[in-house]
Amino acid sequence: MANCIRFIAADAVQNATSGHPGMPMGMADIATVLFRDFMKFDPKDPSWPDRDRFVISNGHGCLLLYSVLNLTGYEGITMDDIRRFRQVGSNTAGHPEYWHIPGIETTTGPLGQGVGNAVGFAIAERVLNATFGDDLQDHFTYVFMGDGCLMEGISHEVISLAGHLKLGKLIAFFDNNAITIDGPTSLAVSDDQAARFAASNWHVQEIDGHDTDAIREAIHNAQAVTDRPSLISCKTVIGFGFPTISGTRKAHSDTPGEDEVSGARELLEWNSKPFEIPEPLIDAWRGVGSRGEATRRQWLNRLDASPIPVKIEFERRMRGVLPAQWRKAIARAINEMSGTDTPMATRKASGLVLEHLTVAMPELIGGSADLTPSNNVKTDIQKEIAPGKFSGSYLHYGVREHGMAAAMNGMALHGGLRPYGGTFLAFSDYCRPSIRLAAMMRALTVFVMTHDSIGLGEDGPTHQPVEQLSALRAIPHLAVFRPADGVETAECWQAILERNEGPSLIALSRQALPPVRHDHSPGNKSAKGAYVVLEAESDEPIVTFLAAGSELHLAMEAHEILRQEGVPTRVISMPCRLLFEQQPEEYRRTVLGSSGIRVAVEAGIRDSWDRYLGESGYFVGLTEFGASGKAADVFEKFGITTEAIVRMARHGISEHEL
Amino acid sequence: MANCIRFIAADAVQNATSGHPGMPMGMADIATVLFRDFMKFDPKDPSWPDRDRFVISNGHGCLLLYSVLNLTGYEGITMDDIRRFRQVGSNTAGHPEYWHIPGIETTTGPLGQGVGNAVGFAIAERVLNATFGDDLQDHFTYVFMGDGCLMEGISHEVISLAGHLKLGKLIAFFDNNAITIDGPTSLAVSDDQAARFAASNWHVQEIDGHDTDAIREAIHNAQAVTDRPSLISCKTVIGFGFPTISGTRKAHSDTPGEDEVSGARELLEWNSKPFEIPEPLIDAWRGVGSRGEATRRQWLNRLDASPIPVKIEFERRMRGVLPAQWRKAIARAINEMSGTDTPMATRKASGLVLEHLTVAMPELIGGSADLTPSNNVKTDIQKEIAPGKFSGSYLHYGVREHGMAAAMNGMALHGGLRPYGGTFLAFSDYCRPSIRLAAMMRALTVFVMTHDSIGLGEDGPTHQPVEQLSALRAIPHLAVFRPADGVETAECWQAILERNEGPSLIALSRQALPPVRHDHSPGNKSAKGAYVVLEAESDEPIVTFLAAGSELHLAMEAHEILRQEGVPTRVISMPCRLLFEQQPEEYRRTVLGSSGIRVAVEAGIRDSWDRYLGESGYFVGLTEFGASGKAADVFEKFGITTEAIVRMARHGISEHEL
């Protein structure tokens, strides 16, 4: 049965003259035993909420996943699809892409990410189990990983987190083939992986990855260990079956060539043509695929037998529908924010919004990469998740931004939870690969990033984001919110929760900001991405200010100074460029207006504003890293002040001879 | 003597009402023993090439470093400077900034980076030792690190690399105080750090970090171990001396308050006023500072006694002066490139340039994060560095992009080497925090990033950069080069090596590209950042195309089609936006020209081009992640073709009614 996987992989790579045959051929035995004897799944319902999750973190081995999905009878993938491996328009991409074929649980390829997602799946499972019990949520998460995954830093973060949390239902298989692209792993790594995992509180077994009895026994043992995650380190031969290139780097990602493929046919006594599987083997694999149906029906019966409110709540959570009470929670928060004149940091406003939201939405699961008191992300009602104790809704992720982001992606994909997690905006760089994957998968992960500019003050340039806002706005499908006060913060949270098209990131100030939105009117202005916050007193405004976040009030002050001088100006608040770009052209044109001069203001670099500035490039912001000092002094030092904005407007007026 | 550090730290934080007293007070005993009894340094010559390197990776504890520099007599830092801790304009920033005070070896603060830099220092030392011998290069690298550093993924990458390479002269001190910002480390981590380091081939000792005899003995032992790096895990009390907050998270980064500070004075019997150090202690510390002068003079004598060519070469390398033969090497490469009509991938061109450069420049130290054959970064003459064997100039970094970048920064800062390292451009995200720090420190690190667009083809969206070019161009001081053919590739390498203002990144194509620069004329056009590659046949061109890299030849084809239609167009190649922005205004204006319509072309998002496009935003590029398929098919799918560029130009012409 394992040879079915091997030859689908070898023939598909040979046919495409591109791809990675080595991993599927090396891990075929492990996959066969896992799916045949253990995996809880039913190809008839790929999204069954209590299915076991299966992730290949070494995503270049996607043909292993494609072939298993095809062989066990998932309808989304035919042998013709596999024949079109790596072609434009086919669903069998060069790396597995989330749900391009139902059964692909997450997008992998950038190494180590899948391990992080798997830890997220395993956390989600335990958290939901704590709420809904064994009857409704009780599954394993299995993850395959290669030498590369284990060299990546992210693997340390999530292995350490998983061991700490005692994720007993997480079982990881290390494809210990000792080969990477450059050659033998001895070129670059000497880690004792078994000892390393043991040091992080994992149960560890070392086996021959081609000994099916040993694999079966190891999985049995791993399932029996409930107080620790399990590593099964499998000694394998990369490209198992190739006569000359197996066990070498040539088997990793080279097209094997006809000789190797036919040699493998001889060695493994495989007489079928490419993409043809002998009938008895098809039957055996289809049998594996149909094994889970009865289990799924029992689960459905248990769901039906659950108390009605439990069933309704479970289904609501799994479908990702917001609860009835969430609107009231937002309304209360907005009400609270609009009733004050007291300056407030938007991180604090966000914390107050979350106080309401976490009461209304049990699916919210918060956390921080060791900046809980700074990010304002833990609310009064949230209980902490602790090792082996999953009845809470707040996670101390430790100083692990990357691991947090990847785990949150896993939780978001798992279903039943809406994860949000905090760090400083400057450290978005530390988790950027996972933010990107969230965007690519359209996962509804929420990144809460405080200390969003030089306004954080004394910690200085290493902690002050400068280029991060523009760099994050550059990521397709990532909605970057930067609210200017409490009302906008609440509106942005509303927009985040209503958004179904991808992840969101909310950038929040450390420093207190004066409220700018006393006039709270019905409708979510921030959700349109940008809106006019101050109109000109004339039908022919001369200057339009664009700003976001902590600089909006500076632009509004500049407006007032110029108003007194008789210069009519408008002020646009732009909390989210992506949502603004998605508005109808008519709205966009109305907001941007037709004043000859536009001045943008942000305590960051100009790149993400340039499209609105035209040739002039009137921008008040930064071209340089920040400095350590009191927030006000730092703003002064870099010339981001009301006076500088007024000067820039006057400069524009003189250049335009207006 | 340790109390001098403690009270400078406590008083400075109390005075600034901002900062982190806990680490300096907790690690004061370790620092005192290390500097008093071991460190090879001389405040009279902070840049002495054979000094021991000292890094605090837990950079928030900068006051420990500031106080030791002050106490031992570095001239760059006075007690008044420390009094102005964390104020704008002072040199005592909230985190240590590279060479703001001579003696600060690297900028730290983002956790884990310093460990990576230290590994780089230790590699550089061994590599230079292999060339210049014990007489000229033979020093230790010491690094302090906290719980946070060891949770970060990057720590895994560099610990694993250091253990693999057997960096016997690297000694790391773990500030095992079991406290982070959120509270006790038991909230988030259960790793057995000693076992973890042992699993990565480190020599490990565990001691009481307040027992000066134990510290001394441990350092002795660590120095004696020459075939492995050493970890000294020090059990410490954070904020040692504070009566009530010591040992708690309140000692980490809170202003302690007058009561705690005076309580500490009582407990530790410290009777001096803030920022005053008793005469005998000053004397003792100054004695420590003067201990190294004799050693340095002996070293200078050895340098003077070296054969003249060795001395000259050592000094050249340490001053970072390019060797005489480098210009010929570049000229040869350019000559080779301009003599061909054969399409060539720019990664391949880069490899050919490196063949010449590595012969001419022994200071070049190459490497790749396990993509050696893909990045074309290893040349024929380069020998591999292997565990314990440092006579080579090529490093297999393993699948550790982040660790590679941080280690390269360390090598660049160390002096004597010019490091370059390769990965795929999409994975620049994995090492972005280190790229940022290179830019902040103006370190001359070179990032070679191949597979620079959807043109990489079959590997698909996870591997295809889309937003990365714009996101990288957003980083201040980072010169991002994207050459269009072989000649430009050689010119870009020339510009990279001549650049002294910060790091460079060169983005290179996987796919072959037609040569565009047959007309190689004297002078480095790419070094100006942008230049006119095709002039219009008319004095009044209607359209100006801007492009870079693999899309330049498409714009040039569009130019030809429009020329035949009688539409005069110009084509600008822009291999480096940063260098272009640094040209005189006159040059910039001449290059950009005054045609009414500008069309930019790049297989990426538009953000970094927007400033040249004005209101129109005529851009042929991407708004979406890529797709898996043959390169040509993927370009076609996303409409990045000559025809699309022509259409966009025509569209602009019709909108402008020209």
Side-chain angles (χ1 to χ4, degrees), chain A residues 86 153 157 164 182 190 372, chain B residues 86 153 157 164 182 190 372 459:
Chain A
R86 293 189 154 222
E157 299 186 15
H164 172 72
D182 274 10
S190 310
T372 299
Chain B
R86 294 190 153 219
E157 300 186 14
H164 172 72
D182 274 10
S190 311
T372 299
D459 270 346

Side-chain angles (χ1 to χ4, degrees), chain A residues 16 18 20 86-89 92-95 97 107-113 148 150-157 160-161 164 180-183 185-192 195-196 199-200 249 368 370-374 384 394 396-402 426-427 429-430 432-433 436-437 439-440 442 458-468 470-471 473-477 577 598 605-608 610-615 623-625 628-630 633-634 637, chain B residues 16 18 20 86-89 93-95 97 107-113 148 150-157 160-161 164 180-183 185-192 195-196 199-200 249 368 370-374 384 394 396-402 426-427 429-430 432-433 436-437 439-440 442 458-468 470-471 473-477 577 598 605-608 610-615 623-625 628-630 633-634 637:
Chain A
S18 171
H20 303 74
R86 293 189 154 222
Q87 303 307 311
V88 161
T92 49
H95 290 84
E97 295 183 38
T107 297
T108 51
L111 293 174
Q113 297 291 333
L150 296 190
M151 281 193 262
E152 290 287 2
I154 187 176
S155 71
H156 168 60
E157 299 186 15
S160 172
L161 179 64
H164 172 72
T180 64
I181 289 173
D182 274 10
T185 49
S186 60
L187 282 175
V189 65
S190 310
D191 295 342
D192 177 341
R196 172 193 172 195
S200 286
R249 72 178 195 79
S368 169
D370 195 46
L371 290 167
T372 299
S374 301
E384 290 167 354
Y394 190 84
H396 291 282
Y397 285 102
V399 188
R400 303 182 183 104
E401 300 83 6
H402 203 175
F427 303 146
D429 285 352
Y430 271 78
R432 206 171 151 90
R436 180 177 213 237
L437 280 166
M440 200 175 284
R442 313 291 192 109
E458 288 89 342
D459 270 346
T462 57
H463 287 51
Q464 292 167 351
V466 167
E467 71 280 20
Q468 277 77 4
S470 277
R473 288 176 187 137
I475 300 176
H477 310 305
R577 189 181 77 166
R598 285 193 198 140
I605 60 143
R606 54 184 268 197
D607 291 25
S608 59
D610 273 342
R611 69 178 62 172
Y612 306 115
L613 300 184
E615 293 276 333
T623 58
E624 182 46 274
F625 293 112
S628 173
K630 292 195 178 63
D633 296 345
V634 179
K637 173 184 166 68
Chain B
S18 172
H20 303 74
R86 294 190 153 219
Q87 304 307 312
V88 162
H95 291 83
E97 294 183 39
T107 297
T108 52
L111 294 175
Q113 297 292 331
L150 296 190
M151 282 194 261
E152 290 287 2
I154 187 175
S155 70
H156 168 61
E157 300 186 14
S160 171
L161 179 63
H164 172 72
T180 64
I181 290 174
D182 274 10
T185 49
S186 60
L187 282 175
V189 64
S190 311
D191 294 342
D192 177 341
R196 173 194 172 196
S200 286
R249 71 178 194 79
S368 168
D370 195 44
L371 290 167
T372 299
S374 301
E384 291 166 354
Y394 189 84
H396 291 281
Y397 285 102
V399 188
R400 305 183 181 105
E401 299 83 7
H402 202 175
F427 303 146
D429 286 352
Y430 271 78
R432 207 172 151 88
R436 180 177 213 241
L437 280 167
M440 199 174 286
R442 312 291 192 108
E458 288 91 340
D459 270 346
T462 55
H463 287 50
Q464 291 167 351
V466 167
E467 72 280 19
Q468 277 78 3
S470 278
R473 289 175 187 138
I475 299 176
H477 310 304
R577 189 182 76 167
R598 286 196 198 136
I605 61 143
R606 55 184 267 197
D607 292 25
S608 58
D610 274 341
R611 70 179 61 170
Y612 307 115
L613 299 184
E615 292 276 335
T623 57
E624 179 50 274
F625 294 113
S628 172
K630 292 192 179 65
D633 296 346
V634 179
K637 174 184 164 70

Side-chain angles (χ1 to χ4, degrees), chain B residues 256-545:
Chain B
E258 292 295 348
D259 286 355
E260 287 293 321
V261 178
S262 61
R265 281 192 151 70
E266 221 165 290
L267 261 174
L268 300 178
E269 297 172 20
W270 184 264
N271 300 314
S272 303
K273 287 189 205 150
F275 308 111
E276 285 178 15
I277 308 288
E279 208 63 41
L281 290 175
I282 286 271
D283 291 346
W285 273 109
R286 289 291 197 275
V288 170
S290 58
R291 186 175 48 76
E293 191 174 350
T295 314
R296 182 169 64 85
R297 294 205 174 279
Q298 287 157 17
W299 180 87
L300 278 169
N301 290 340
R302 291 199 300 275
L303 179 64
D304 283 335
S306 300
I308 301 283
V310 171
K311 183 177 182 227
I312 289 176
E313 176 68 1
F314 183 83
E315 291 185 328
R316 177 189 77 74
R317 299 260 310 251
M318 286 299 162
R319 284 206 312 274
V321 176
L322 295 171
Q325 59 277 31
W326 94 280
R327 278 195 185 280
K328 275 195 193 145
I330 282 285
R332 249 180 247 122
I334 290 182
N335 201 37
E336 231 173 77
M337 300 297 165
S338 52
T340 174
D341 270 328
T342 317
M344 184 190 284
T346 50
R347 64 171 168 149
K348 199 175 161 198
S350 169
L352 294 175
V353 175
L354 284 170
E355 291 289 351
H356 293 287
L357 287 175
T358 50
V359 170
M361 294 180 60
E363 59 264 50
L364 283 175
I365 178 162
S368 168
D370 195 44
L371 290 167
T372 299
S374 301
N375 297 146
N376 297 65
V377 277
K378 186 177 178 308
T379 67
D380 284 347
I381 69 143
Q382 283 179 319
K383 283 199 304 172
E384 291 166 354
I385 290 166
K389 300 200 176 70
F390 296 92
S391 62
S393 60
Y394 189 84
L395 246 166
H396 291 281
Y397 285 102
V399 188
R400 305 183 181 105
E401 299 83 7
H402 202 175
M404 173 177 76
M408 286 202 297
N409 287 349
M411 291 182 222
L413 299 176
H414 182 279
L417 296 175
R418 288 292 296 262
Y420 70 87
T423 183
F424 287 166
L425 183 61
F427 303 146
S428 61
D429 286 352
Y430 271 78
C431 47
R432 207 172 151 88
S434 300
I435 298 176
R436 180 177 213 241
L437 280 167
M440 199 174 286
M441 295 189 277
R442 312 291 192 108
L444 302 185
T445 315
V446 182
F447 304 94
V448 180
M449 304 243 169
T450 67
H451 296 57
D452 73 346
S453 79
I454 53 170
L456 66 86
E458 288 91 340
D459 270 346
T462 55
H463 287 50
Q464 291 167 351
V466 167
E467 72 280 19
Q468 277 78 3
L469 287 165
S470 278
L472 289 162
R473 289 175 187 138
I475 299 176
H477 310 304
L478 174 69
V480 178
F481 293 88
R482 188 165 185 248
D485 74 351
V487 170
E488 277 200 4
T489 302
E491 287 184 343
C492 288
W493 267 109
Q494 180 180 0
I496 287 169
L497 293 173
E498 283 176 330
R499 183 170 146 77
N500 282 315
E501 296 82 33
S504 301
L505 183 148
I506 184 163
L508 300 164
S509 75
R510 176 188 185 224
Q511 73 274 28
L513 305 176
V516 294
R517 282 279 299 284
H518 305 281
D519 64 324
H520 181 63
S521 44
N524 185 338
K525 291 187 175 177
S526 300
K528 291 193 187 296
Y531 63 93
V532 181
V533 64
L534 285 178
E535 243 332 331
E537 288 182 338
S538 148
D539 286 349
E540 292 189 355
I542 295 178
V543 177
T544 299
F545 292 116

Side-chain angles (χ1 to χ4, degrees), chain A residues 143-453:
Chain A
V143 57
F144 282 11
M145 52 199 193
D147 289 291
C149 295
L150 296 190
M151 281 193 262
E152 290 287 2
I154 187 176
S155 71
H156 168 60
E157 299 186 15
V158 296
I159 287 165
S160 172
L161 179 64
H164 172 72
L165 290 175
K166 303 187 178 176
L167 294 173
K169 305 209 74 157
L170 174 65
I171 299 176
F173 299 82
F174 169 34
D175 184 21
N176 184 9
N177 61 34
I179 289 292
T180 64
I181 289 173
D182 274 10
T185 49
S186 60
L187 282 175
V189 65
S190 310
D191 295 342
D192 177 341
Q193 297 290 0
R196 172 193 172 195
F197 276 77
S200 286
N201 197 35
W202 284 57
H203 170 254
V204 175
Q205 300 173 79
E206 296 184 273
I207 61 166
D208 173 351
H210 301 295
D211 176 341
T212 52
D213 290 337
I215 298 166
R216 193 178 309 107
E217 196 191 323
I219 302 177
H220 266 302
N221 296 342
Q223 289 190 339
V225 174
T226 58
D227 64 344
R228 275 172 299 164
S230 261
L231 171 74
I232 304 176
S233 175
C234 307
K235 194 74 214 140
T236 60
V237 176
I238 193 169
F240 184 95
F242 286 139
T244 58
I245 63 171
S246 69
T248 76
R249 72 178 195 79
K250 284 193 200 313
H252 181 273
S253 47
D254 289 5
T255 306
E258 291 296 348
D259 286 355
E260 287 294 319
V261 177
S262 61
R265 281 193 149 73
E266 222 166 286
L267 262 174
L268 300 177
E269 298 174 18
W270 184 262
N271 301 312
S272 302
K273 287 188 206 149
F275 308 112
E276 283 179 15
I277 308 290
E279 207 63 42
L281 290 176
I282 285 273
D283 291 347
W285 271 110
R286 288 291 196 275
V288 170
S290 58
R291 187 174 48 74
E293 190 174 350
T295 314
R296 182 169 64 86
R297 292 205 175 281
Q298 288 157 16
W299 179 87
L300 278 170
N301 291 340
R302 290 200 300 276
L303 179 64
D304 284 335
S306 301
I308 301 282
V310 171
K311 182 176 183 230
I312 288 176
E313 177 68 358
F314 183 83
E315 290 184 327
R316 177 190 77 75
R317 301 255 313 246
M318 286 299 163
R319 282 205 313 274
V321 175
L322 295 171
Q325 59 279 29
W326 93 280
R327 277 192 187 283
K328 274 195 194 144
I330 282 285
R332 247 179 248 123
I334 290 183
N335 202 37
E336 230 172 76
M337 301 298 163
S338 51
T340 173
D341 270 328
T342 316
M344 184 189 284
T346 50
R347 64 172 169 149
K348 198 174 162 199
S350 170
L352 294 175
V353 175
L354 283 170
E355 291 288 351
H356 293 288
L357 286 175
T358 50
V359 171
M361 295 179 60
E363 60 265 50
L364 283 176
I365 177 161
S368 169
D370 195 46
L371 290 167
T372 299
S374 301
N375 297 146
N376 296 66
V377 277
K378 185 177 178 308
T379 67
D380 285 347
I381 69 143
Q382 283 179 319
K383 282 200 304 176
E384 290 167 354
I385 291 166
K389 301 201 174 70
F390 296 92
S391 62
S393 60
Y394 190 84
L395 245 166
H396 291 282
Y397 285 102
V399 188
R400 303 182 183 104
E401 300 83 6
H402 203 175
M404 173 175 77
M408 286 202 296
N409 286 349
M411 291 182 221
L413 299 176
H414 182 279
L417 296 175
R418 288 291 296 261
Y420 69 88
T423 184
F424 287 166
L425 183 61
F427 303 146
S428 61
D429 285 352
Y430 271 78
C431 48
R432 206 171 151 90
S434 300
I435 298 176
R436 180 177 213 237
L437 280 166
M440 200 175 284
M441 294 190 278
R442 313 291 192 109
L444 302 185
T445 314
V446 183
F447 304 95
V448 180
M449 304 242 169
T450 67
H451 296 57
D452 72 345
S453 79

Side-chain angles (χ1 to χ4, degrees), chain B residues 568-588:
Chain B
T569 71
R570 311 163 67 238
V571 183
I572 297 168
S573 176
M574 191 179 283
C576 182
R577 189 182 76 167
L578 180 72
L579 294 190
F580 179 64
E581 298 274 329
Q582 291 172 351
Q583 298 306 311
E585 196 187 339
E586 176 62 21
Y587 179 79
R588 280 183 286 134

